[in-house]
């Protein structure tokens, strides 16, 4: 477990200041906060959707320009038999676009790499991944994903959109941006880990909803993958946010497509509206087989990706190496595409499908190259082609080659220093092998009339399910993006099977990456067979504690010596010198951040009669600094101050949750997980602090 | 708060026996338990679906027979102008059928009355409503709902099906039935409140899934309405159960309808497959208005129903009065229907819609009475008619009268001593006023082409949403029962608005009824502004405690004197007689049920060397009795036994969660709610028990 991750603290610190505030502001404040929450969620929905809209449009427009230019060049040079020129052009375009995005990620904000879903997942689990919800990250992510997709990498924009939603939520709900050093002084009362997490989970849901046009799927995604705490009111708010997001996006898209306000336009659906497929009970085995294949392929995908990630961690530490790798992949992707269209002469008549940039290449007049059509568009559009093109559009041979190469490309791409997700590439691979299976089944049973769309969709679901191991949210997302619920049952069966099979080999890709990064993620359930492990074994001791009224010099020294971020506050040792007490009775808990704010603001007992007791001291003192508190080294503290004392009692959390040292690990785990704790003091029979348990102590047990 | 409700205990008692078992059985046991869980869920899904199927078919067949006979009689006597004869026939049929069902409910199992959803909700929240998950209840419920719907009451079968699912789950997962006094000795390790609740929540979901053909809706229903604890693995299992249930039901229905295995047959959808409706952004206000109307009507419905419930509690205590009331409603329903078809001569040409029993009445030849068509079928079929009949099928005047009378009838019906739900009647009322609105809008803006189905559906959603105040699960359920996702956005908007408006006036009907019954349901969030209420005010004291090694006579006496079901186990008072300690140090917690089992099995210290220490004593001793433990009066205990002692230490829960007396109510609430506790000892600074908090102490604060 890496020490660089700090925990979030979901437990409210019920100190005197909070009680004061509650008493002063009373009931109207509660109502007001509730209204503000709904309003913030509204804003989150709208802004997330607008960002998604911009990403969408940029990708579409830039890709169109790119592929049109390339087509012109191909059309020109194919006649001259100098196809290497468009090839080089293609490679160079890709490399330069990807280079740009990759530089941003590698040098400016590495945490913006990848899909961002693992990071959001950690955040919602209670782990602060540094810089993950900053504005800068958002910017790099948005630009990065455009460059990755336009640059022709086998990546999608959906994961990054989800991450964008999370950043938007974190930003708006706090009413300030530390990047721009701007504090709008609004929503200050939401400056707590607890509130922020709720908004971030709503933001992630809004992101899903914008990425897939799936409001229900968004809520389910944040439930299934993220949220650790289930709360009805929160879910309703999240739902509101996802609906707003879908509405806004649809409205913007419909305006962009020239029929403003027509929200039921099927063009707004990501994967295109599917027809319902009739299905029979005897097809059940087929769905199960698809699930098995998806599970196996998904597990393989995860395994390769894991190995690559390990390799990168070991040998590609330098940013420039990461950039080079990204450019290499860009070149390889273009080469793959080029070879495929060049070597597989898979021609089909024009006018049958909505390919935007049909390439004739070596085909007869009035025909175009089917492989080129797949490569000369964004991966998302290719998924649509696989789902909607009629039977016989693709030769089985081409499909096999496509599946193999795209499978490898996509697993290589995910984890590069570019921001791109894995949903679309996996859907694409899956749709391709689904279609292949359809062709084979048709071949095996010629009497059956096979609908390739059905199998392509099931294949896509199976492959993606095998990789990410989501079931219920993925089902809903697929249903919502294809606008067709009749297919729910087959999709569900396939996904459940894919999950079972995949789980047999390894975990979902997000969990693999999270573990690899050494994040102390808490699982859902306590480790099995752990009833005979006791808190006394889990805890750290001796514990660094503070006395209720403590000397500033001592505090400063301790903060400098240890890295811990929470300290039990204890009674001063008993006056009776004969009685040797090594342990002291627990009075409360105080956080490092609180201590720092207290010192920053010089809230010393010696000042008591002068300034602070009546003026400055309220919750806002702490909120102003949230979430990035100064470090103890940054403060400058005079000699005199070091001799002062601070009375910690009004600021500490007066009744932290504790457990006796004989409590078992599962018990400890449940308390910790269910309440989202950060520090759990362990006490003995007479309530003296004997140890300390944090998330990292527990996450060690698996 | 009523004292008759006991709590469930979701905290595992980690005593020596559990540790022993864990040590002996090891890891394979964990795997085995996991497989068993999936298997049980499979069984639950299949059996719930089969019960739903039987209910479905019985209702359909019996209704057909009833309405065909009535039609014959009407057709015959309308010519003779003696319509009072079929009227009387109708009234008598209804009364006699309802009488039968109502007798069952009123005399055999009152808890089977109503929809059962509030009871299931309580159970999942952690409150044991007596007899709610027994086989007898299941039987009365199933027969009762058939009789209620066939008897022509304004009730639906969906709520009862959900309740049935819950009972099935509770029964199967325990592997025994106390009603039949049969212990299959399987699944004994699931005989804990914790495990049982998980299965019951899965069973309720399977019930929804069978009732509406909505697997995803089922999962969401159990999340939104029931589950207090969110757990990914549990959700996946639940999802599996709902899918199995839908599959089984669809398979059975498709076989029954004569095309076995064709699972995509739209006839399997409850409300019939809808067409997608195009909608425009400017229709948004219309949806909002629908939501507002739904919210207002829903609140009114709830208010009337609440008043009726209070009236019933006060004046209709006797079972026979309840039966008489049910028969009265049956008569009134029939009268309403008769008057409407008699007085409103709303004729329309035959052959336009699939009415099974068209009545000509006073219409011209080749026409039939539209109102009669609505009344001469099950409410569910009427919803289908409203949703699918073409524009102009109903006169506005008829609709107004229908809405008013059905609104009143349905709110009168819900809460009668019959088992029937409120989903379908509210959908029906809503669909009717939705259609009415469509006609008016058409009238106001003749240039627009109005699709009545759209407004009927939105109206139905709004009305039901206004009554039950669910949003996300209801959206999904409606989408799944109409097989059309394109309508998601309008439905969502309407439901959210309906909820907001309704919540302004009162709570959802289930919550109203739960409160009325005095169930100590814990809400989602701690009461606002309660940080200044301390555990010392919430707790009860003095506390009845037991010593670690306790005299049997003392235990028996205490169990007889007090009704509490949990006792802190404490150190014996200190030997030093000078020091007056009224409080004693906490060692553990023991439940009344455990004490009773110990006494039943004579696990006394005096016997230690003879039998128990090596033989009988393991967890199964307790599991054998679960969940209905003997009462202390039923045990017969000899004089000699009373002088024995029991060592409670191997059996008690050695490290219960505790809180200091200065903890605030929100803190206490969160601990209690998040961990599903039953007893929470309150301790002082040196870990001595000073008070006791149970669910009832907390639920008092709102
Ligand atoms: N006050 C303390 N005294 C002694 N040990 C501590 C104290 N606080 C934390 N520890 C121990 O230090 C180790 C690393 O702690 P960890 O980084 O998880 O805690 P932290 O820095 O206080 O919180 P965070 O999770 O926010 O980083 C853990 O084993 C933990 O038990
Ligand atoms: N051992 C005890 N000693 C003193 N008071 C108790 C004890 N147990 C419960 N009480 C108090 O008795 C009152 C009624 O308790 P309640 O019926 O909720 O508890 P219970 O019977 O132990 O549990 P259940 O919820 O299962 O009925 C509550 O105010 C509670 O605080
Ligand atoms: Mg740390
Ligand atoms: Mg009680």
């Amino acid at each position: 477990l890496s020490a660089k991750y700090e925990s979030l603290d979901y437990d409210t610190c019920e100190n005197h200041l909070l009680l004061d505030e509650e008493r002063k502001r009373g009931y109207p404040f509660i109502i007001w906060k509730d209204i503000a929450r709904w309003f913030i969620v509204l804003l989150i929905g709208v802004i997330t959707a607008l960002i998604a809209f911009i990403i969408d449009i940029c990708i579409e427009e830039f890709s169109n320009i790119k592929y049109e230019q390339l087509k012109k060049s191909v059309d020109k040079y194919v006649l001259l038999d100098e196809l290497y020129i468009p090839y080089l052009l293609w490679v160079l375009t890709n490399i330069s676009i990807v280079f740009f995005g990759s530089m941003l990620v590698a040098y400016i904000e590495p945490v913006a790499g990848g899909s961002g879903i693992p990071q959001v997942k950690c955040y919602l689990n209670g782990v602060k991944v540094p810089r993950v919800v900053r504005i800068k990250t958002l910017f790099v992510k948005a630009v990065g994903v455009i460059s990755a997709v336009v640059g022709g990498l086998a990546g999608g924009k959906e994961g990054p959109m989800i991450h964008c939603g999370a950043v938007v939520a974190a930003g708006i709900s706090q009413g300030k941006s530390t990047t721009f050093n701007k504090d709008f002084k609004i929503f200050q009362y939401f400056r707590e880990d607890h509130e922020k997490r709720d908004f971030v989970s709503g933001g992630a849901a809004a992101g899903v909803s914008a990425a897939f046009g799936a409001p229900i799927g968004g809520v389910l995604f944040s439930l299934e993958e993220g949220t650790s705490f289930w709360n009805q009111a929160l879910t309703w708010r999240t739902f509101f946010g996802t609906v707003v997001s879908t509405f806004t996006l649809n409205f913007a898209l419909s305006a962009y497509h020239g029929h403003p306000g027509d929200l039921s336009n099927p063009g707004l659906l990501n994967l295109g509206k599917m027809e319902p497929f009739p299905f029979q009970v005897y097809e059940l085995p087929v769905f199960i087989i698809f699930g098995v294949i998806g599970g196996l392929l998904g597990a393989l995908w995860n395994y390769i990706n894991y190995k690559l990630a390990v390799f990168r961690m070991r040998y590609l530490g330098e940013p420039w190496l990461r950039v080079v790798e990204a450019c290499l992949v860009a070149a390889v992707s273009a080469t793959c595409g080029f070879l495929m269209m060049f070597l597989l002469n898979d021609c089909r008549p024009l006018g049958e499908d909505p390919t935007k940039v049909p390439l004739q290449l070596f085909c007869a007049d009035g025909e175009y190259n089917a492989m080129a059509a797949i490569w000369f568009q964004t991966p998302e559009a290719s998924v649509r082609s696989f789902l909607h093109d009629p039977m016989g559009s693709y030769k089985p041979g081409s499909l096999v080659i496509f599946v193999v190469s795209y499978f490898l490309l996509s697993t290589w791409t995910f984890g590069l220093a570019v921001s791109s997700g894995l949903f679309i590439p996996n859907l694409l691979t899956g749709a391709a092998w689904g279609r292949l299976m359809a062709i084979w089944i048709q071949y095996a049973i010629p009497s059956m009339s096979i609908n390739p769309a059905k199998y392509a969709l099931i294949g896509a679901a199976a492959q993606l399910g095998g990789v990410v191991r989501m079931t219920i949210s993925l089902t809903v997302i697929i249903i919502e993006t294809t606008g067709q619920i009749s297919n729910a049952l087959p999709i569900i069966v396939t996904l459940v099977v894919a999950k079972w099979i995949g789980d047999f080999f390894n975990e979902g890709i997000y969990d693999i990456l999270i573990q690899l990064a050494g994040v102390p993620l808490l699982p859902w359930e306590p480790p099995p067979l752990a009833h005979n492990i006791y808190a006394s074994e889990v805890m750290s001791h001796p514990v660094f504690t503070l006395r209720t009224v403590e000397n500033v010099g001592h505090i400063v020294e301790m903060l400098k010596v240890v890295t811990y971020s929470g300290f039990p506050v204890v009674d001063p040792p008993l006056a009776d010198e004969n009685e040797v007490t090594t342990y002291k009775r627990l009075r409360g808990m105080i956080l490092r951040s609180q201590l720092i704010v207290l010192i920053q603001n010089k809230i010393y007992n010696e000042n008591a009669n002068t300034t602070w007791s009546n003026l400055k001291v309220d919750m806002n003192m702490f909120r102003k600094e949230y979430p990035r508190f100064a470090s103890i080294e940054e403060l400058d503290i005079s000699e005199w101050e070091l001799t002062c004392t601070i009375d910690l009692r009004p600021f500490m959390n007066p009744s932290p949750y504790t457990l006796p040292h004989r409590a078992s690990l599962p018990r400890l785990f449940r308390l910790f997980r269910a309440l989202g704790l950060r520090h759990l003091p362990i006490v003995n029979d007479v309530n003296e602090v004997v140890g300390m348990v944090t998330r990292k102590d527990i996450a060690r047990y698996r």
Side-chain angles (χ1 to χ4, degrees), chain A:
Chain A
L1 297 180
S2 158
K4 84 172 179 226
Y5 302 104
E6 306 229 301
S7 307
L8 296 166
D9 200 347
Y10 295 156
D11 195 22
T12 29
C13 173
E14 295 167 318
N15 56 18
H16 287 217
L17 305 183
L18 186 79
L19 285 178
D20 273 355
E21 185 172 278
E22 190 175 289
R23 200 168 322 117
K24 251 186 253 151
R25 305 223 189 169
Y27 200 68
F29 184 51
I30 305 234
I31 303 282
W32 165 247
K33 262 182 21 185
D34 210 44
I35 295 175
R37 279 197 200 100
W38 284 91
F39 177 70
I40 292 175
V41 168
L42 176 80
L43 280 185
I44 293 172
V46 170
I47 295 180
T48 305
L50 290 181
I51 292 177
F53 173 70
I54 293 171
I55 295 178
D56 243 7
I57 297 305
C58 286
I59 290 180
E60 200 173 317
E61 293 297 327
F62 290 148
S63 299
N64 271 351
I65 297 174
K66 172 181 147 190
Y67 290 120
E68 255 157 33
Q69 294 305 325
L70 282 178
K71 173 187 152 62
K72 272 193 208 140
S73 145
V74 171
D75 284 352
K76 186 164 137 203
Y77 289 102
V78 72
L79 300 176
L80 308 176
D81 217 2
E82 287 176 340
L83 269 177
Y84 66 92
I85 295 182
Y87 165 64
L88 285 181
L89 186 66
W90 190 3
V91 169
L92 280 179
T93 327
N94 276 11
I95 287 188
S96 51
I97 301 176
V98 168
F99 177 76
F100 171 68
S102 181
M103 285 296 281
L104 274 181
V105 170
Y107 283 97
I108 299 193
E109 194 50 87
V111 84
S115 78
I117 295 181
Q119 285 87 337
V120 172
K121 199 172 159 171
C122 292
Y123 191 93
L124 296 179
N125 189 273
V127 180
K128 212 184 297 181
V129 177
R131 301 187 311 285
V132 80
V133 290
R134 296 214 184 153
I135 302 271
K136 197 165 91 182
T137 310
L138 173 64
F139 174 78
V140 172
K141 195 108 210 176
V143 177
V145 70
I146 295 174
S147 83
V149 180
V150 175
L153 293 181
K157 60 186 165 48
E158 280 67 15
M161 281 185 182
I162 296 169
H163 188 172
C164 289
V167 182
V168 167
I172 291 181
S173 67
Q174 302 299 298
K176 74 171 183 178
S177 151
T178 359
T179 308
F180 299 126
N181 201 3
K182 184 103 198 75
D183 189 340
F184 294 99
K185 307 252 181 207
I186 46 170
F187 308 139
Q188 293 185 317
Y189 29 88
F190 294 136
R191 293 187 190 163
E192 291 174 26
D193 286 351
H194 187 268
E195 298 280 357
K196 196 168 168 186
R197 172 190 59 94
D198 282 1
F199 288 113
V200 169
S201 103
V208 177
S209 157
F212 298 100
I216 302 164
V219 175
L220 287 176
F221 176 86
S222 95
L223 281 177
E224 185 170 2
E225 279 297 288
T227 318
S228 315
F229 308 93
W230 160 258
N231 178 318
Q232 204 183 30
L234 172 63
T235 309
W236 281 330
R237 263 203 314 274
T238 307
F239 190 41
F240 175 71
T242 58
V243 171
V244 168
S245 163
T246 307
F247 247 116
T248 312
L249 184 74
N250 278 4
F251 189 74
L253 280 180
S254 68
Y256 177 77
H257 288 321
H259 30 72
D262 181 4
L263 303 187
S264 55
N265 187 327
L268 304 180
L269 290 169
N270 253 352
L271 302 182
K273 187 148 176 58
M274 301 285 286
E275 291 306 303
F277 356 110
F279 64 95
Q280 306 284 336
V281 113
Y282 60 75
E283 288 183 275
L284 205 54
V286 180
F287 303 140
I288 292 178
I289 292 173
F290 269 65
V292 173
I293 299 177
L296 292 176
L297 287 182
L300 179 65
W301 200 96
N302 291 359
Y303 178 76
I304 299 177
N305 197 272
Y306 166 73
K307 284 290 169 196
L308 282 170
V310 172
F311 178 84
R312 282 187 194 118
M313 279 171 77
R314 196 164 300 160
Y315 301 107
L316 304 182
E318 296 287 310
W320 68 268
L321 280 172
R322 307 295 311 274
V323 174
V324 169
E325 192 200 4
C327 294
L328 178 65
V329 176
V332 171
S333 304
T335 311
C336 268
F338 188 80
L339 285 180
M340 250 179 255
M341 30 198 271
F342 186 75
L343 298 178
L344 305 172
N345 222 350
D346 191 347
C347 296
R348 74 179 195 256
L350 267 174
E352 247 184 20
D353 76 345
T355 308
K356 275 202 187 138
V357 202
L359 261 193
Q360 187 176 348
L361 225 55
F362 311 118
C363 293
D365 281 353
E367 290 192 335
Y368 71 97
N369 185 309
M371 270 300 123
I374 288 296
W375 281 97
F376 265 36
Q377 59 188 357
T378 58
E380 200 180 301
S382 309
V383 179
R384 268 199 295 273
S385 304
F386 278 139
L387 291 188
H388 297 283
D389 287 353
M391 193 73 179
S393 301
Y394 303 92
K395 286 196 198 139
S398 328
L399 285 177
V400 170
I401 296 177
F402 180 83
V403 167
V404 173
S405 57
Y406 211 82
F407 181 89
L408 294 173
L409 268 182
S410 60
T411 180
W412 190 8
T413 304
F414 189 70
L416 286 183
V418 295
S419 44
S420 78
L422 54 70
F423 273 66
I424 294 295
N426 274 301
L427 286 175
L428 186 55
T429 314
W433 64 251
R435 213 161 230 281
L436 193 62
M437 299 282 291
I439 296 175
W440 283 339
I441 296 175
Q442 179 74 84
Y443 188 77
I445 319 174
S447 63
M448 230 169 106
S449 102
I450 296 281
N451 177 359
K454 171 156 125 188
Y455 293 101
L457 183 64
I458 304 278
Q463 171 76 29
L464 183 52
V467 169
V468 297
R469 312 283 161 80
M470 306 192 286
T471 55
I472 179 161
S473 54
L474 197 53
T475 308
V476 175
I477 289 174
I478 290 178
I479 289 172
E480 289 188 303
T481 42
T482 56
Q484 186 52 256
I485 188 132
S486 322
N487 318 331
L489 278 185
I491 294 177
I492 292 171
V493 173
T494 312
L495 282 177
V496 171
V497 174
K499 182 176 163 51
W500 273 345
I501 298 291
D503 277 351
F504 193 76
F505 295 98
N506 48 29
E507 286 186 269
I509 184 68
Y510 300 134
D511 291 307
I512 292 180
L513 293 181
I514 288 173
Q515 265 198 33
L516 198 62
V519 177
L521 200 82
L522 293 186
W524 292 93
E525 295 277 356
L529 294 180
H531 285 290
N532 55 349
I533 301 176
Y534 294 101
S536 43
E537 300 164 54
V538 178
M539 71 192 190
S540 316
H541 61 117
V543 182
F544 285 77
T545 54
L546 294 171
R547 279 166 301 167
T548 41
V549 177
E550 185 60 275
N551 176 260
V552 175
H554 179 78
I555 297 180
V556 170
E557 196 187 347
M558 191 165 80
L559 290 184
K560 281 187 180 157
V561 172
V562 300
T563 62
Y564 309 140
S565 40
F567 303 94
V569 178
V570 295
D571 272 344
L574 293 177
D576 178 6
E577 281 299 316
N578 290 341
E579 197 176 351
V580 185
T581 40
T582 42
Y583 302 126
K584 296 141 201 171
R585 196 151 292 160
L586 183 69
R587 282 286 156 216
M589 274 290 302
I590 194 143
L591 295 179
R592 167 185 285 264
S593 57
Q594 290 175 311
L595 292 173
I596 285 185
V597 173
L598 289 177
I599 296 175
Q600 250 176 341
N601 290 277
K602 312 206 187 306
I603 312 292
Y604 306 135
N605 274 354
E606 283 65 15
N607 291 352
N609 313 335
T610 57
T611 42
W612 67 265
S613 69
N614 27 22
L615 269 177
K616 280 194 306 187
V617 183
D618 61 2
M619 296 288 283
N620 288 332
M621 186 172 82
F622 296 95
R623 286 178 184 145
K624 220 172 61 214
E625 305 297 323
Y626 183 85
R628 268 179 271 171
F629 299 96
S631 85
I632 186 70
E633 282 80 17
E634 286 164 334
L635 304 185
D636 64 322
I637 304 162
S638 68
E639 269 316 305
W640 171 78
E641 287 179 43
L642 291 180
T643 62
C644 296
T645 58
I646 303 186
D647 185 352
L648 297 176
R649 278 169 296 187
F651 308 106
M652 71 186 188
N653 183 352
S655 53
Y657 295 107
T658 61
L659 275 184
H661 59 87
R662 66 174 175 282
S664 69
L665 178 59
R667 183 161 286 271
L668 205 154
F669 181 95
R670 258 183 236 116
L671 181 72
F672 212 88
R673 177 86 164 92
L675 298 171
L677 301 184
R678 187 175 183 185
H679 296 100
L680 179 66
I682 303 294
V683 295
N684 64 11
D685 266 350
V686 289
N687 215 20
E688 292 165 341
V689 184
V690 296
M692 178 63 115
V693 168
T694 68
R695 170 182 285 268
K696 280 167 210 139
D697 299 316
I698 300 179
R700 233 182 294 277
Y701 295 87
R702 297 209 141 248

